[in-house]
Amino acid sequence: MDNSTGKNNSLNFDTSSYILVTIYSITLLGGIIGIFFMTIFLKNSQNKLSITTISIINLVLVHGSFLFSVPLIMEYYATGSWKHPFILCKLVSISLHTHLYLSFFFYVAILVVRFLLFFGRKPRDFYRPLYAFIASAVVWIVIFVSLFPPLLVEYGKHQNYNKTKCFQFQAEFKRGFVIVFNMVIVAAFILVSLLLVLVQIFILTKVIISNKTNLRSRQEFRAQLKNLSFIMILIICFLPYHIFRIHYVNKIAVNPTDTGLSQKNDIYLSITTLCCLDLLTLLARGYLWLIPSIVDQFKCISSH
């Protein structure tokens, strides 16, 4: 594919920018609202040391830390120019992927715990907050060490990039190691996601067969329905990006100047950030009893 082909396949810049700014705006607004309400819920939660609760706390932290970078991303796509130090561009780019994989890990943790509960194997809760903190810290450190140093040092090192353009590191895919690294991550991600989906289908099928009448009144059926929000996040937000990534990596390695592929990759990657809305779905599933508590919080704030 030559450069002209890449240009012909590209989206209109205004269209691409509009789509990206819209998606990141939804992510930012929904994420902030979700974090606010979920923080109130967690504050009033009685079981703060369960693996599920600890995972949700980590999701709040993951989304919260990532949302600080979203205004910079929106500014770039709105103006078409990166106006900050280039090192910050690399950090924001890395934060996009770190957010994705940290979120994915905690989704997997929540789903695995719930699957084990269905099969009668309840995982032990953390006995002390310190143990929960250490376990969470280990996850964060492993993922950060795996992603941040290699990407920060290597990305942008083997090519002279335009410092006014961000998220344009396609030339790195000329290196075989980068292609292999991406493919391994994509394959692992897709396999784990499909395994979770298959297990969920198996469990739901088993519950439906054993409770053919009045399903909605069955607690185990309602419990499995709660898992569907996480499964849907995997299917809607994460899987499209990783499936497209297979095509993207192979094509962009041949023609790094294919702007069409780059724009589509940016859009698919932006869709992964919509997982920040997960906290809203958790609240909408049955935490309406939070409303009186939220009203009390506002009264307390206004009284001061």
Side-chain angles (χ1 to χ4, degrees):
M1 182 183 294
D2 57 21
N3 291 353
S4 61
T5 304
K7 291 179 181 178
N8 291 335
N9 286 335
S10 65
L11 296 170
N12 178 274
F13 176 78
D14 291 337
T15 302
S16 174
S17 299
Y18 176 79
I19 293 172
L20 288 163
V21 171
T22 300
I23 292 174
Y24 282 112
S25 297
I26 295 171
T27 294
L28 183 61
L29 180 61
I32 291 174
I33 294 173
I35 288 172
F36 175 76
F37 287 116
M38 183 55 72
T39 301
I40 295 175
F41 163 70
L42 292 171
K43 182 180 178 181
N44 292 277
S45 176
Q46 295 182 351
N47 187 8
K48 293 184 174 67
L49 295 180
S50 70
I51 296 177
T52 298
T53 302
I54 294 300
S55 295
I56 293 175
I57 291 173
N58 276 281
L59 282 174
V60 170
L61 295 174
V62 170
H63 296 334
S65 58
F66 166 70
L67 289 178
F68 282 105
S69 67
V70 173
L72 294 176
I73 300 172
M74 292 172 60
E75 178 195 24
Y76 171 69
Y77 285 120
T79 63
S81 176
W82 184 257
K83 302 175 182 178
H84 307 282
F86 195 64
I87 185 67
L88 187 58
C89 164
K90 294 171 68 175
L91 288 172
V92 171
S93 180
I94 295 170
S95 74
L96 271 165
H97 294 88
T98 305
H99 169 257
L100 191 166
Y101 294 113
L102 272 171
S103 299
F104 177 71
F105 177 87
F106 292 116
Y107 292 147
V108 172
I110 292 171
L111 287 170
V112 168
V113 167
R114 292 184 173 182
F115 291 163
L116 290 174
L117 285 173
F118 176 81
F119 291 109
R121 298 183 179 182
K122 182 180 179 180
R124 294 182 179 179
D125 294 339
F126 294 102
Y127 291 110
R128 298 172 59 186
L130 177 62
Y131 297 156
F133 173 79
I134 292 174
S136 300
V138 168
V139 173
W140 282 71
I141 290 171
V142 168
I143 293 182
F144 266 79
V145 170
S146 301
L147 291 177
F148 257 86
L151 293 179
L152 189 61
V153 172
E154 293 297 323
Y155 262 40
K157 179 180 178 181
H158 301 85
Q159 185 79 15
N160 291 322
Y161 292 101
N162 184 346
K163 298 299 189 293
T164 64
K165 297 296 179 183
C166 194
F167 315 124
Q168 303 295 318
F169 300 110
Q170 297 90 332
E172 302 298 325
F173 287 100
K174 290 182 178 180
R175 304 166 60 205
F177 168 76
V178 176
I179 296 176
V180 173
F181 179 73
N182 274 266
M183 286 302 184
V184 169
I185 291 179
V186 167
F189 193 101
I190 292 176
L191 286 174
V192 172
S193 298
L194 291 179
L195 179 61
L196 292 172
V197 171
L198 289 174
V199 172
Q200 184 62 72
I201 292 173
F202 170 78
I203 292 175
L204 269 176
T205 303
K206 191 172 181 179
V207 170
I208 292 172
I209 292 175
S210 59
N211 302 281
K212 294 183 179 180
T213 58
N214 202 15
L215 270 177
R216 292 185 179 181
S217 64
R218 300 290 182 176
Q219 183 178 355
E220 58 182 3
F221 179 72
R222 295 198 303 270
Q224 293 309 315
L225 288 181
K226 292 180 180 180
N227 294 346
L228 292 182
S229 60
F230 296 108
I231 295 294
M232 293 307 295
I233 289 172
L234 296 181
I235 294 174
I236 296 173
C237 297
F238 291 166
L239 276 180
Y241 170 70
H242 286 84
I243 293 172
F244 174 77
R245 192 77 174 170
I246 299 172
H247 170 72
Y248 172 77
V249 169
N250 283 293
K251 294 296 183 181
I252 208 70
V254 177
N255 182 21
T257 60
D258 190 335
T259 55
L261 271 178
S262 299
Q263 289 173 336
K264 292 174 184 177
N265 183 69
D266 289 345
I267 292 173
Y268 277 111
L269 181 59
S270 70
I271 292 172
T272 67
T273 68
L274 291 175
C275 70
C276 288
L277 304 180
D278 57 359
L279 301 178
L280 290 177
T281 64
L282 286 172
L283 292 167
R285 270 197 335 234
Y287 297 132
L288 295 178
W289 57 270
L290 276 172
I291 293 177
S293 175
I294 294 168
V295 172
D296 290 340
Q297 292 286 336
F298 276 117
K299 287 181 178 179
C300 181
I301 293 172
S302 60
S303 64
H304 288 81

